[in-house]
Amino acid sequence: MRSGPVFAAARAHLGATVVAVITDDPKTKQVGGRDLVIVRARVERYEGRGKGVRTRVPVLLLASGREWSGLVPSMKVRCVGRLAPPKHAELLAAVVLVRGPPSVVGGPSKVQRVAGAVRARLRQAADVLHPDARGVLPAMVVGDTSRLDPTLADDFTTAGLSHLLVVSGANLAIVVGAVLALCRMVGLGRRGAPLIAGLAVVAFVVIARPDPSVLRAAVMATVGLLALFTGRPRQGVAALAGAVLLLVLVDPELSRSYGFALSAAATAGLLVLAPAWRERLRRRLPNLVADALAVAVAAELAVAPILVMMSGELGVVSVAANLLADPAVAPATLLGAAAAVTAPFSPALAGLILWPAEYPVRWIIWVARTASTLPYATLPWASGALGAAGLLIAGAITIAMLRSRRLRLLFAAAIVGVLAGVVCMHVLAPGWPPPGWQLVMCDVGQGDGLVLSAGPGRAVVVDTGPEPSAMDGCLRRLRVREVPLLVLTHPHADHIGGIPGVRHGRRVGLALVTPLGFGREARFTGGVPTRPALPGETWRTGDLALSVLAPAVSGPHLTAHDDGTVMNNASIVLVATRPGFSALLPGDVETEAQQALVSAVPHVQVLKVPHHGSRSQHRPFLAAAHASIGLVSVGEDNDYGHPSPHTVGLLQHLGIRVLRTDRQGDIAVVRTHTGIATVARH
């Protein structure tokens, strides 16, 4: 793996041509406003420096273009790109930064063609469902996330329900159980039913793709069916251990897969912890409630150290969310599986089967969204091995305390005290959004995304950051349902990439763009009326007024080849005012454009620091605003060194208090009886 021509070329960052077999479905992710296609593959031929070498090593292909997103496993492609060494601990020989579309030289196999057809027909049949359900149901049934809204996926993760969006042992158990029940109904005995169920397992793995959790579940199911066929009782822990050992020996890369670890840990929790807890809970609770609670808590506790290691967050609402969602999982999965079997022969009948599935799926979606918006849905925790070890130690201490009556009372008193403190903080703190908020600078990473209040449920948005999910999340937290005006200061990706997030479930009345632009924003604003923002214009919504100071329409129009400074200086510069509040929003203008605007800058209370606090600032421009608060929208540990220490020092010397999204998170400016104040949401 870490030897041979591919790894050597990656260490030297060489360009090469490779022939690779696709091993997993392409995943599309938005990065900087562009679609990045991530493809796992196996290189079988390396062609570099005029000679070809046969090899067989796993790689990750990073590409762009619709041609890549349409590939399916087992297809063989030739592509050109630059090789780079993998940054993480995955068992990869290289990461290939691909240039251009793939050249298909073989495949897919007949089996994968059938699997792809089943998945495509299921997507087609799902068109009868609500748009959100169209993305969730194929993910639950066959692991197809191609239509899943990224923001909704984030909600599932926050709520602790992300396991529902990947095919796992629970899905396979439901399908195998249904097949065995049908076999018994038609009179198949102990010998025949396991064979039919075994064929269902094979078909399930092919259609759902052999992901780590699917492979683990398939091997365990096969062991269980073999035990049923031979008449020997199934030993769950032994079956799990055998499945894990066999799969790691066959594919050593699984030993470093978080997905495989989560799947195995959750199953171990269900086998080891859940039975004893179920018996104890049945003494005090109805059997159905006791079973559901034992299963949910056992699975969540088993995977908690791994989740903390991955994310640095501790889920608080996940057990409750799983308890609420679980009753809907089986009907949604069974109806989806029946539709998947039917869809290749009759899409209309499959759609009819899926129609009642909308209700359980939408219930699951409602649970995920509601749980993700609850305060303290997740709590910060140390990440990595240290965080996992800390959580295990905390759990051990908690168990030890619960075993002693005296310590139990002390523990209960401490919990009550903490809860009382949290409640008091929540009551006394302004909450989010804070009352009287005028402007919020959203934490969108390395980009700009501002929101100006325009009445209950309404807001003006100025720039949208690089990612839709971050901007959508900020607007949801502010309870914004309508955007009468969207201002896109200039066409850099870190200002327009999040437009789909603004439009997600919201009506956008009008979009303003720089009069010097070349139409790059149009790919995101289709269907929204768009017009240029001209100097001297004033736009009003309620008591909020937005006056346009720049850019001058006489300047040269931008092209896609202009450098960053030229585009930055074409930014729309706005002054936002309402009674008791004023702000200067200058986009990313740099020194030259700032110098031309000094005489036009009015006195304001808030300054949105241009260009993420870069060093390219004109001191008289910053001083002319006479602002008391300076807001810097900047990504944590960004590669640009923003904000520049020189600029931060300059702002502080001018008496401007500097707040940064990389340290404070979302930052709200609120109006008070004595002026304005800021509230941060970490």
Side-chain angles (χ1 to χ4, degrees), residues 32-33 448 463-467 488-500 520-524:
D448 268 11
D463 290 326
T464 66
E467 299 284 349
L488 306 169
T489 59
H490 63 293
H492 271 151
D494 61 332
H495 290 249
I496 67 172
I499 294 174
R520 178 181 284 172
E521 307 91 344
R523 61 178 172 155
F524 296 123

Side-chain angles (χ1 to χ4, degrees), residues 591-664:
T591 306
E592 300 83 2
Q594 292 177 18
Q595 190 171 0
L597 283 169
V598 171
S599 60
V601 173
H603 292 192
V604 294
Q605 296 163 305
V606 180
L607 168 67
K608 199 289 293 188
V609 180
H611 198 204
H612 321 293
S614 74
R615 188 179 176 87
S616 182
Q617 309 290 340
H618 186 53
R619 189 182 192 280
F621 174 83
L622 302 179
H626 287 81
S628 59
I629 295 172
L631 304 178
V632 183
S633 185
V634 63
E636 186 176 6
D637 299 326
N638 64 87
D639 296 332
Y640 305 97
H642 294 162
S644 163
H646 173 269
T647 298
V648 173
L650 174 59
L651 292 166
Q652 292 172 340
H653 185 263
L654 292 171
I656 300 174
R657 184 163 65 98
V658 178
L659 294 97
R660 306 162 42 165
T661 56
D662 61 335
R663 294 182 179 177
Q664 278 85 29

Side-chain angles (χ1 to χ4, degrees), residues 336-420:
V341 173
T342 309
F345 310 103
S346 175
L349 180 58
L352 190 63
I353 294 172
L354 281 183
W355 178 76
E358 176 160 332
Y359 299 99
V361 173
R362 291 188 69 175
W363 168 254
I364 294 170
I365 293 170
W366 180 85
V367 171
R369 283 191 165 142
T370 303
S372 68
T373 58
L374 292 175
Y376 312 111
T378 58
L379 297 177
W381 193 275
S383 60
L386 181 62
L391 184 61
L392 290 172
I393 293 171
I397 293 173
T398 302
I399 293 172
M401 293 181 71
L402 292 175
R403 287 178 175 272
S404 165
R405 177 179 173 80
R406 184 174 298 176
L407 292 177
R408 217 165 32 234
L409 293 173
L410 181 63
F411 181 75
I415 291 295
V416 170
V418 170
L419 289 175

Side-chain angles (χ1 to χ4, degrees), residues 491 514-518 551-560 562-563 565-571:
T514 174
L516 305 180
F518 56 94
V553 294
S554 58
H557 279 249
L558 300 173
T559 70
D562 284 324
D563 63 23
T565 297
V566 172
M567 284 196 186
N568 288 339
N569 285 331
S571 293

